[in-house]
Amino acid sequence: MTKKVALIGGSFDPVHMGHINMAKAALEQLNVDEVWFIPTKSTPLKERVLTDEEHRWGMLKLAAAMDERFKVNPVELTRTGRSYTIDTLKQLKKDFEEVEFYWLIGADQAAQFEKWKDADQLVQLAQFTACVRDGQKPENACFDFPAIDMEPTPVSSTEIRNGYKLNYLPDAVLQYILDHELYIPMWIANRVSPHRYAHSCSVAKLCRQLAKAHNLDEHRAWLMGMFHDVAKDMPKEELAKWVKAINPYGLMDHHAIWHGYAGSEIADRVFGVKDPSVKNAIFNHVKGTSYDVYAMVLFIADKLDPLRGYDSSGMINACMHDLYNGFMLVHAENKKFLEKEKKKQPEKGDLK
C-alpha cells in the first residue's frame, strides 16, 4: 500500500502554530499518513541569516512531539551548499520510492511559485497544495494548485522573532527559546528605546558576571537583566493598569518605580518567563527591597551599570568579592544619591 506523506518546508525560525495548523489540515483534508517538516539550510529567496540549524531542529522536534504522525526530516540540513526544493524532492523520491508526496505551501508562496527553481519540474515530483483561509485561492498565481483550508493563524516567524504574538508558539518551543536565549535581545529592542536597550544588555552582562563570581545560575541572571526594564518606556497610564491589577498598593509609590512591578508580570504573561526568582528580582530592582541573592545581583548590576557614566569599577569589584556586603554598600550609596536628588528636585526625584 502506497504511503502518503505531506511535506512542509521552511526555515522554521521559529516553528509556530501556523505550521502546526497547516500540518493538521493536511492530515484531515488530504488523508495523508504522516506530515514531514523539512527545515531548510538556507532561504534562496531571502537574504536573512538563519538561526543555527541545531536550534531550529531542536524546536521542530519539540513541536513534532504534539502528534505521533508529525516527523522531522533532515534531508536539507545534511546537504552542503545552497539547497533548493527540486534537489530535496529528487532525493526524497530516490530514498522513498513507495511514498506519494504532497508539498504544502502557503498562499504567499503559491502566488510567487514561478520564482522557484525548476518550478515546472517540481510539480511533476509532488502534488503541490496551497493552504488557504476561507477557501480563497492566491490571486495572480501562475500555477493552479488545489487548496485546503487551514485554521486561521495570523502569525509569522518574523513577528515572533520581533517579540510579538508569542501566544502562537507551542509552550515547549517558547521554553526552548528562553532556555537557549534565542531572539530575546530583539524582543527587548522592540520594546524600549535604543538607550534603554543598551542599558539592558549591559546590565544582563554584569548580572551574568556577578552570578558566575558567586556560583549562581548565569542564565537566570542574564534573563532578569535583559527583562528588568521591559516596561520602562510604557506610557504611565498603561503602567498604572498593570500595577493596579497585580500590586494595587504599588500605586502609592512614585510612578518611576512602577516599571519594576509591571515588568515582572509582563516578563511572565507576555514572554513566558515563569521563574519566580527572575520575577522577584525584576519586581524589586528599583528600590532593592528583596534580599534574595538574584534580586541583590540585579539591584547591584542595575545601579552599577558601567553605561551610567561614572566609574563603578571599585564597587563592582567589591560586589564580586562579597555579594551581601556589596549589596548593602550599593544600597547605601543609592540612598545618598536619591536624597541629594530629592533636595535638588523635590517634586520629581530620580528613581532609576
Side-chain angles (χ1 to χ4, degrees):
M1 183 176 178
T2 302
K3 185 177 183 179
K4 297 170 64 176
V5 172
L7 307 171
I8 303 178
S11 60
F12 301 110
D13 194 10
V15 60
H16 53 67
M17 289 308 300
H19 301 121
I20 299 301
N21 288 336
M22 182 183 289
K24 289 179 178 179
L27 291 172
E28 295 168 1
Q29 298 175 50
L30 295 177
N31 295 315
V32 296
D33 300 295
E34 294 177 350
V35 178
W36 296 357
F37 296 93
I38 312 290
T40 59
K41 197 174 189 70
S42 61
T43 50
L45 296 181
K46 300 177 183 178
E47 296 301 322
R48 185 177 65 82
V49 176
L50 299 180
T51 300
D52 284 351
E53 59 190 53
E54 171 192 355
H55 293 309
R56 292 186 290 118
W57 176 267
M59 290 185 282
L60 262 178
K61 291 291 286 185
L62 290 171
M66 298 174 71
D67 192 305
E68 62 181 7
R69 294 166 294 178
F70 294 165
K71 311 293 181 185
V72 186
N73 188 292
V75 60
E76 293 201 5
L77 297 182
T78 56
R79 188 181 301 128
T80 58
R82 177 160 283 196
S83 180
Y84 293 94
T85 303
I86 187 68
D87 305 314
T88 299
L89 272 176
K90 286 180 177 179
Q91 186 65 51
L92 290 174
K93 294 289 285 186
K94 178 181 177 182
D95 294 342
F96 304 96
E97 295 179 358
E98 301 302 317
V99 173
E100 180 182 354
F101 289 112
Y102 294 73
W103 194 290
L104 306 183
I105 57 177
D108 58 333
Q109 296 169 312
Q112 60 170 353
F113 191 77
E114 72 278 2
K115 297 180 181 179
W116 289 34
K117 189 178 187 311
D118 299 325
D120 291 327
Q121 291 185 47
L122 282 172
V123 296
Q124 305 300 317
L125 297 173
Q127 174 61 68
F128 280 78
T129 304
C131 289
V132 300
R133 300 173 187 171
D134 304 320
Q136 297 296 317
K137 290 189 176 183
E139 298 180 0
N140 303 319
C142 295
F143 292 81
D144 186 22
F145 295 134
I148 59 173
D149 268 312
M150 64 174 283
E151 180 181 337
T153 318
V155 65
S156 68
S157 294
T158 299
E159 289 175 307
I160 291 174
R161 289 194 304 274
N162 285 326
Y164 303 104
K165 301 186 178 180
L166 303 186
N167 55 307
Y168 286 105
L169 283 170
D171 291 342
V173 174
L174 176 55
Q175 190 59 53
Y176 184 99
I177 290 170
L178 292 171
D179 289 345
H180 293 83
E181 302 177 5
L182 306 179
Y183 316 123
I184 293 172
M186 183 61 71
W187 293 359
I188 302 302
N190 285 324
R191 293 276 180 159
V192 299
S193 68
H195 169 77
R196 188 61 49 188
Y197 171 67
H199 167 70
S200 298
C201 292
S202 182
V203 169
K205 179 180 178 181
L206 184 51
C207 280
R208 200 192 289 274
Q209 293 170 343
L210 285 163
K212 183 177 182 179
H214 297 287
N215 297 313
L216 300 174
D217 188 322
E218 294 178 44
H219 167 66
R220 174 182 285 168
W222 182 85
L223 273 182
M224 65 191 189
M226 288 302 299
F227 282 100
H228 83 284
D229 271 355
V230 69
K232 181 70 174 181
D233 292 340
M234 288 179 65
K236 181 180 176 181
E237 295 75 18
E238 290 298 313
L239 280 175
K241 292 177 183 178
W242 279 93
V243 177
K244 183 178 180 180
I246 63 176
N247 181 34
Y249 290 108
L251 291 173
M252 295 187 293
D253 288 327
H254 192 283
H255 64 80
I257 299 173
W258 293 356
H259 71 280
Y261 305 146
S264 67
E265 202 65 20
I266 289 170
D268 180 343
R269 298 191 192 184
V270 177
F271 297 100
V273 181
K274 306 293 183 183
D275 189 323
S277 293
V278 173
K279 291 183 61 179
N280 176 68
I282 296 172
F283 187 94
N284 291 285
H285 84 270
V286 182
K287 295 196 296 182
T289 42
S290 172
Y291 291 88
D292 174 81
V293 288
Y294 290 97
M296 288 194 288
V297 165
L298 180 56
F299 179 78
I300 290 168
D302 181 39
K303 299 301 182 283
L304 300 186
D305 173 21
L307 295 185
R308 285 195 180 275
Y310 62 91
D311 184 7
S312 57
S313 58
M315 294 185 71
I316 289 175
N317 288 333
C319 294
M320 291 288 184
H321 178 71
D322 187 321
L323 183 65
Y324 177 77
N325 285 329
F327 170 77
M328 296 305 294
L329 176 61
V330 174
H331 217 301
E333 290 299 315
N334 187 62
K335 184 177 180 180
K336 291 179 184 178
F337 170 77
L338 294 177
E339 289 174 350
K340 184 185 298 183
E341 290 298 301
K342 189 174 182 179
K343 290 179 180 179
K344 292 192 296 184
Q345 299 179 345
E347 296 297 319
K348 297 182 179 180
D350 188 15
L351 289 165
K352 298 182 180 180

